[in-house]
Coordinates of all heavy atoms in Angstrom, one line a residue:
N128 N -35.7 -152.8 -26.6 CA -34.6 -151.8 -26.6 C -34.3 -151.4 -25.1 O -33.3 -150.8 -24.8 CB -34.9 -150.6 -27.4 CG -34.9 -150.9 -28.9 OD1 -34.0 -151.6 -29.4 ND2 -35.9 -150.5 -29.6
E129 N -35.3 -151.6 -24.3 CA -35.2 -151.3 -22.9 C -36.0 -152.3 -22.0 O -36.9 -152.9 -22.5 CB -35.6 -149.8 -22.6 CG -36.9 -149.5 -23.1 CD -37.3 -148.0 -22.9 OE1 -36.4 -147.2 -22.7 OE2 -38.5 -147.7 -23.0
I130 N -35.6 -152.4 -20.8 CA -36.4 -153.3 -19.9 C -36.8 -152.5 -18.7 O -36.1 -151.5 -18.3 CB -35.6 -154.6 -19.5 CG1 -34.3 -154.2 -18.7 CG2 -35.4 -155.5 -20.6 CD1 -33.7 -155.4 -18.0
E131 N -37.9 -152.9 -18.0 CA -38.4 -152.2 -16.9 C -37.9 -153.0 -15.6 O -38.0 -154.2 -15.6 CB -39.9 -152.2 -16.9 CG -40.5 -151.0 -16.2 CD -41.9 -150.7 -16.5 OE1 -42.6 -151.7 -17.0 OE2 -42.4 -149.6 -16.3
I132 N -37.3 -152.3 -14.7 CA -36.8 -152.9 -13.5 C -37.3 -152.1 -12.3 O -37.7 -151.0 -12.4 CB -35.2 -153.0 -13.5 CG1 -34.7 -151.6 -13.6 CG2 -34.7 -153.9 -14.5 CD1 -33.3 -151.4 -13.0
Q133 N -37.1 -152.7 -11.1 CA -37.3 -152.0 -9.8 C -36.0 -152.0 -9.1 O -35.3 -153.0 -9.0 CB -38.4 -152.7 -9.0 CG -38.8 -152.0 -7.8 CD -40.1 -152.6 -7.1 OE1 -40.2 -153.8 -7.2 NE2 -40.9 -151.8 -6.5
C134 N -35.6 -150.8 -8.6 CA -34.4 -150.7 -7.8 C -34.4 -149.4 -7.0 O -35.3 -148.6 -7.2 CB -33.2 -150.8 -8.7 SG -33.0 -149.3 -9.8
L135 N -33.5 -149.2 -6.1 CA -33.3 -147.9 -5.4 C -32.8 -146.9 -6.4 O -32.0 -147.2 -7.3 CB -32.3 -148.1 -4.2 CG -32.8 -148.9 -3.0 CD1 -31.7 -149.1 -2.1 CD2 -34.0 -148.2 -2.4
P136 N -33.2 -145.6 -6.2 CA -32.8 -144.6 -7.1 C -31.2 -144.5 -7.3 O -30.7 -144.2 -8.4 CB -33.3 -143.3 -6.5 CG -34.5 -143.7 -5.7 CD -34.2 -145.1 -5.2
S137 N -30.5 -144.8 -6.2 CA -29.0 -144.7 -6.3 C -28.4 -145.8 -7.1 O -27.2 -145.7 -7.4 CB -28.4 -144.6 -4.9 OG -28.8 -145.8 -4.2
D138 N -29.2 -146.9 -7.3 CA -28.6 -148.0 -8.1 C -29.0 -148.0 -9.5 O -28.6 -149.0 -10.2 CB -29.2 -149.3 -7.4 CG -28.5 -149.6 -6.1 OD1 -27.4 -149.1 -5.8 OD2 -29.2 -150.3 -5.2
I139 N -29.7 -147.0 -10.0 CA -30.1 -147.1 -11.4 C -28.9 -147.1 -12.4 O -28.1 -146.3 -12.3 CB -30.9 -145.8 -11.8 CG1 -32.2 -145.6 -10.9 CG2 -31.4 -145.8 -13.3 CD1 -32.9 -144.3 -11.0
P140 N -28.8 -148.2 -13.2 CA -27.7 -148.3 -14.1 C -28.0 -147.5 -15.4 O -29.1 -147.2 -15.7 CB -27.7 -149.8 -14.4 CG -29.1 -150.3 -14.3 CD -29.8 -149.4 -13.3
D141 N -26.9 -147.3 -16.2 CA -27.1 -146.6 -17.5 C -27.7 -147.5 -18.5 O -28.5 -147.1 -19.3 CB -25.8 -146.1 -18.0 CG -25.2 -144.9 -17.1 OD1 -26.1 -144.2 -16.5 OD2 -24.0 -144.8 -17.0
F142 N -27.3 -148.8 -18.4 CA -27.8 -149.8 -19.3 C -27.5 -151.2 -18.8 O -26.8 -151.4 -17.9 CB -27.2 -149.6 -20.7 CG -25.7 -149.7 -20.7 CD1 -25.0 -150.9 -20.8 CD2 -24.9 -148.5 -20.6 CE1 -23.6 -151.0 -20.7 CE2 -23.6 -148.6 -20.6 CZ -22.9 -149.8 -20.7
F143 N -28.2 -152.2 -19.4 CA -27.8 -153.6 -19.2 C -27.3 -154.2 -20.4 O -27.7 -153.8 -21.5 CB -29.1 -154.4 -18.7 CG -29.6 -154.1 -17.4 CD1 -30.8 -153.4 -17.2 CD2 -28.9 -154.5 -16.3 CE1 -31.2 -153.1 -15.9 CE2 -29.3 -154.2 -15.0 CZ -30.5 -153.5 -14.8
E144 N -26.4 -155.2 -20.3 CA -25.8 -155.8 -21.5 C -26.3 -157.2 -21.6 O -26.6 -157.9 -20.7 CB -24.3 -155.8 -21.4 CG -23.6 -154.5 -21.6 CD -22.1 -154.5 -21.7 OE1 -21.5 -155.6 -21.3 OE2 -21.5 -153.6 -22.2
L145 N -26.4 -157.6 -22.9 CA -26.9 -159.0 -23.2 C -26.0 -159.5 -24.3 O -25.9 -158.9 -25.4 CB -28.3 -159.0 -23.6 CG -28.9 -160.3 -24.0 CD1 -28.9 -161.3 -22.8 CD2 -30.4 -160.2 -24.4
D146 N -25.2 -160.6 -24.0 CA -24.3 -161.1 -25.0 C -25.0 -162.0 -26.0 O -25.7 -163.0 -25.6 CB -23.2 -161.9 -24.2 CG -22.1 -162.5 -25.2 OD1 -22.2 -162.2 -26.4 OD2 -21.2 -163.1 -24.7
I147 N -24.9 -161.7 -27.3 CA -25.7 -162.5 -28.3 C -24.8 -163.4 -29.1 O -25.2 -163.9 -30.1 CB -26.5 -161.5 -29.2 CG1 -25.6 -160.5 -29.9 CG2 -27.6 -160.8 -28.4 CD1 -26.3 -159.8 -31.0
S148 N -23.5 -163.5 -28.7 CA -22.5 -164.2 -29.5 C -23.0 -165.6 -29.9 O -22.8 -166.1 -31.0 CB -21.2 -164.4 -28.8 OG -20.8 -163.1 -28.4
D149 N -23.7 -166.4 -29.0 CA -24.0 -167.8 -29.3 C -25.4 -167.9 -30.0 O -25.9 -169.0 -30.1 CB -24.1 -168.6 -28.0 CG -22.7 -168.6 -27.3 OD1 -21.7 -168.5 -28.1 OD2 -22.6 -168.7 -26.1
L150 N -26.0 -166.8 -30.3 CA -27.3 -166.9 -30.9 C -27.3 -167.4 -32.4 O -26.8 -166.7 -33.2 CB -27.9 -165.4 -30.9 CG -29.4 -165.3 -30.7 CD1 -29.9 -166.0 -29.4 CD2 -29.8 -163.8 -30.6
G151 N -27.9 -168.5 -32.6 CA -27.9 -169.1 -33.9 C -29.2 -168.8 -34.7 O -30.1 -168.2 -34.1
M152 N -29.3 -169.3 -35.9 CA -30.5 -169.1 -36.7 C -31.7 -169.7 -36.0 O -31.6 -170.9 -35.5 CB -30.3 -169.8 -38.0 CG -31.5 -169.7 -39.0 SD -31.5 -168.0 -39.7 CE -30.3 -168.2 -41.0
G153 N -32.8 -169.0 -35.8 CA -34.0 -169.5 -35.2 C -33.9 -169.4 -33.6 O -34.9 -169.7 -33.0
D154 N -32.8 -168.9 -33.1 CA -32.7 -168.8 -31.6 C -33.2 -167.4 -31.2 O -33.2 -166.5 -31.9 CB -31.2 -168.9 -31.2 CG -30.7 -170.3 -31.3 OD1 -31.5 -171.2 -31.5 OD2 -29.4 -170.5 -31.3
S155 N -33.6 -167.4 -29.9 CA -34.0 -166.1 -29.3 C -33.6 -166.1 -27.8 O -33.4 -167.1 -27.2 CB -35.5 -165.8 -29.5 OG -36.2 -166.8 -28.8
L156 N -33.4 -164.9 -27.3 CA -33.1 -164.7 -25.9 C -34.3 -163.8 -25.3 O -34.8 -162.9 -25.9 CB -31.8 -163.9 -25.7 CG -30.5 -164.7 -26.0 CD1 -29.3 -163.8 -26.0 CD2 -30.3 -165.9 -25.1
N157 N -34.7 -164.2 -24.1 CA -35.8 -163.5 -23.5 C -35.3 -162.6 -22.4 O -34.1 -162.6 -22.0 CB -36.8 -164.5 -22.8 CG -37.5 -165.4 -23.8 OD1 -37.4 -165.1 -25.0 ND2 -38.1 -166.4 -23.4
A158 N -36.2 -161.8 -21.8 CA -35.8 -160.8 -20.8 C -35.1 -161.6 -19.6 O -34.2 -161.1 -19.0 CB -37.0 -160.0 -20.3
S159 N -35.6 -162.8 -19.4 CA -35.0 -163.6 -18.3 C -33.6 -164.0 -18.5 O -32.9 -164.3 -17.5 CB -35.9 -164.9 -18.0 OG -35.9 -165.6 -19.2
N160 N -33.1 -163.9 -19.7 CA -31.7 -164.2 -20.0 C -30.7 -163.0 -19.7 O -29.5 -163.1 -19.7 CB -31.5 -164.5 -21.5 CG -32.2 -165.8 -21.9 OD1 -33.1 -165.8 -22.6 ND2 -31.7 -166.9 -21.3
I161 N -31.3 -161.8 -19.3 CA -30.5 -160.7 -19.0 C -30.0 -160.9 -17.5 O -30.9 -161.1 -16.6 CB -31.3 -159.4 -19.1 CG1 -31.7 -159.2 -20.6 CG2 -30.4 -158.2 -18.7 CD1 -32.9 -158.2 -20.8
E162 N -28.7 -160.8 -17.3 CA -28.2 -161.1 -16.0 C -28.4 -159.8 -15.1 O -27.8 -158.8 -15.4 CB -26.7 -161.5 -16.0 CG -26.5 -162.9 -16.5 CD -25.1 -163.3 -16.5 OE1 -24.3 -162.8 -15.7 OE2 -24.7 -164.1 -17.4
L163 N -29.2 -160.0 -14.1 CA -29.4 -158.9 -13.1 C -28.9 -159.3 -11.8 O -29.1 -160.4 -11.3 CB -30.9 -158.5 -13.0 CG -31.7 -158.2 -14.3 CD1 -33.1 -158.0 -13.9 CD2 -31.1 -157.0 -15.0
D164 N -28.1 -158.4 -11.1 CA -27.7 -158.8 -9.7 C -28.9 -158.5 -8.8 O -29.9 -158.0 -9.2 CB -26.4 -158.1 -9.3 CG -26.5 -156.7 -9.0 OD1 -27.5 -156.2 -8.5 OD2 -25.5 -156.0 -9.2
K165 N -28.7 -158.9 -7.5 CA -29.8 -158.9 -6.6 C -30.4 -157.5 -6.2 O -31.5 -157.4 -5.6 CB -29.5 -159.7 -5.3 CG -28.3 -159.1 -4.5 CD -28.0 -160.0 -3.3 CE -26.9 -159.5 -2.4 NZ -25.6 -159.4 -3.1
R166 N -29.7 -156.4 -6.6 CA -30.2 -155.1 -6.4 C -31.4 -154.8 -7.3 O -32.2 -153.8 -7.1 CB -29.2 -154.0 -6.6 CG -28.0 -154.0 -5.6 CD -26.9 -153.1 -6.1 NE -26.5 -153.4 -7.4 CZ -25.7 -152.6 -8.2 NH1 -25.4 -151.4 -7.7 NH2 -25.3 -152.9 -9.4
F167 N -31.6 -155.6 -8.4 CA -32.6 -155.3 -9.4 C -33.6 -156.3 -9.5 O -33.3 -157.5 -9.4 CB -31.9 -155.1 -10.8 CG -30.8 -154.2 -10.8 CD1 -29.5 -154.7 -11.1 CD2 -30.9 -152.9 -10.5 CE1 -28.4 -153.8 -11.2 CE2 -29.8 -152.0 -10.6 CZ -28.6 -152.4 -10.9
T168 N -34.9 -155.9 -9.6 CA -36.0 -156.8 -9.8 C -36.5 -156.6 -11.2 O -36.8 -155.4 -11.6 CB -37.1 -156.6 -8.8 OG1 -36.6 -156.7 -7.5 CG2 -38.2 -157.6 -8.9
L169 N -36.7 -157.6 -12.0 CA -37.2 -157.5 -13.4 C -38.7 -157.3 -13.3 O -39.4 -158.1 -12.7 CB -36.8 -158.7 -14.2 CG -37.2 -158.7 -15.7 CD1 -36.5 -157.7 -16.5 CD2 -37.0 -160.1 -16.3
I170 N -39.2 -156.2 -13.9 CA -40.6 -156.0 -14.0 C -41.2 -156.4 -15.4 O -42.3 -157.0 -15.5 CB -40.9 -154.5 -13.8 CG1 -40.4 -154.0 -12.4 CG2 -42.4 -154.2 -13.9 CD1 -41.1 -154.7 -11.2
T171 N -40.4 -156.2 -16.4 CA -40.7 -156.7 -17.8 C -41.0 -158.2 -17.7 O -40.3 -158.9 -17.0 CB -39.6 -156.4 -18.8 OG1 -39.4 -155.0 -18.9 CG2 -39.8 -157.0 -20.1
S172 N -42.0 -158.7 -18.4 CA -42.3 -160.1 -18.4 C -41.0 -160.9 -18.8 O -40.3 -160.6 -19.8 CB -43.4 -160.4 -19.4 OG -43.4 -161.8 -19.7
E173 N -40.8 -162.0 -18.0 CA -39.6 -162.8 -18.2 C -39.6 -163.5 -19.6 O -38.6 -163.8 -20.2 CB -39.5 -164.0 -17.2 CG -39.1 -163.4 -15.8 CD -38.7 -164.5 -14.9 OE1 -38.8 -165.7 -15.3 OE2 -38.3 -164.2 -13.7
D174 N -40.8 -163.7 -20.1 CA -41.0 -164.4 -21.4 C -40.8 -163.4 -22.6 O -40.9 -163.8 -23.8 CB -42.4 -165.0 -21.6 CG -42.6 -166.1 -20.4 OD1 -41.6 -166.6 -20.0 OD2 -43.7 -166.3 -20.1
A175 N -40.8 -162.1 -22.3 CA -40.7 -161.1 -23.4 C -39.4 -161.4 -24.2 O -38.3 -161.5 -23.7 CB -40.7 -159.7 -22.9
V176 N -39.5 -161.5 -25.6 CA -38.4 -161.8 -26.4 C -37.5 -160.5 -26.5 O -38.0 -159.5 -26.9 CB -38.8 -162.2 -27.8 CG1 -37.6 -162.4 -28.7 CG2 -39.5 -163.6 -27.7
A177 N -36.3 -160.6 -26.1 CA -35.4 -159.5 -26.2 C -34.7 -159.3 -27.5 O -34.6 -158.3 -28.1 CB -34.3 -159.6 -25.1
V178 N -34.3 -160.5 -28.1 CA -33.6 -160.5 -29.3 C -33.7 -161.9 -30.0 O -33.8 -162.9 -29.3 CB -32.1 -160.1 -29.1 CG1 -31.4 -161.1 -28.2 CG2 -31.3 -159.9 -30.4
S179 N -33.7 -161.9 -31.3 CA -33.8 -163.2 -32.0 C -33.1 -163.1 -33.4 O -32.9 -162.0 -33.9 CB -35.3 -163.6 -32.2 OG -35.9 -162.6 -33.1
V180 N -32.8 -164.3 -33.9 CA -32.2 -164.3 -35.3 C -33.2 -165.1 -36.1 O -33.6 -166.2 -35.8 CB -30.8 -165.0 -35.3 CG1 -30.3 -165.2 -36.7 CG2 -29.8 -164.2 -34.4
T181 N -33.6 -164.5 -37.2 CA -34.6 -165.2 -38.1 C -34.1 -165.3 -39.5 O -33.1 -164.6 -39.9 CB -35.9 -164.4 -38.1 OG1 -35.6 -163.0 -38.5 CG2 -36.6 -164.4 -36.8
Q182 N -34.7 -166.2 -40.2 CA -34.4 -166.3 -41.7 C -34.7 -165.1 -42.4 O -35.8 -164.4 -42.1 CB -35.3 -167.4 -42.3 CG -35.1 -168.8 -41.7 CD -34.1 -169.6 -42.6 OE1 -33.5 -169.0 -43.5 NE2 -33.8 -170.8 -42.2
P183 N -33.9 -164.7 -43.4 CA -34.3 -163.5 -44.2 C -35.5 -163.9 -45.0 O -35.7 -165.0 -45.4 CB -33.1 -163.3 -45.1 CG -32.2 -164.4 -44.9 CD -32.6 -165.3 -43.7

Side-chain angles (χ1 to χ4, degrees):
N128 292 312
E129 51 187 18
I130 58 166
E131 209 165 21
I132 56 149
Q133 187 172 29
C134 68
L135 288 173
S137 56
D138 289 333
I139 301 170
D141 291 332
F142 57 85
F143 288 109
E144 286 191 341
L145 181 60
D146 185 1
I147 59 166
S148 307
D149 297 334
L150 213 56
M152 182 76 79
D154 291 344
S155 62
L156 291 171
N157 294 350
S159 58
N160 295 112
I161 301 162
E162 283 181 32
L163 305 180
D164 74 30
K165 59 182 185 296
R166 292 172 304 166
F167 309 117
T168 305
L169 182 67
I170 301 297
T171 297
S172 164
E173 289 193 357
D174 301 334
V176 175
V178 61
S179 64
V180 176
T181 55
Q182 292 270 5

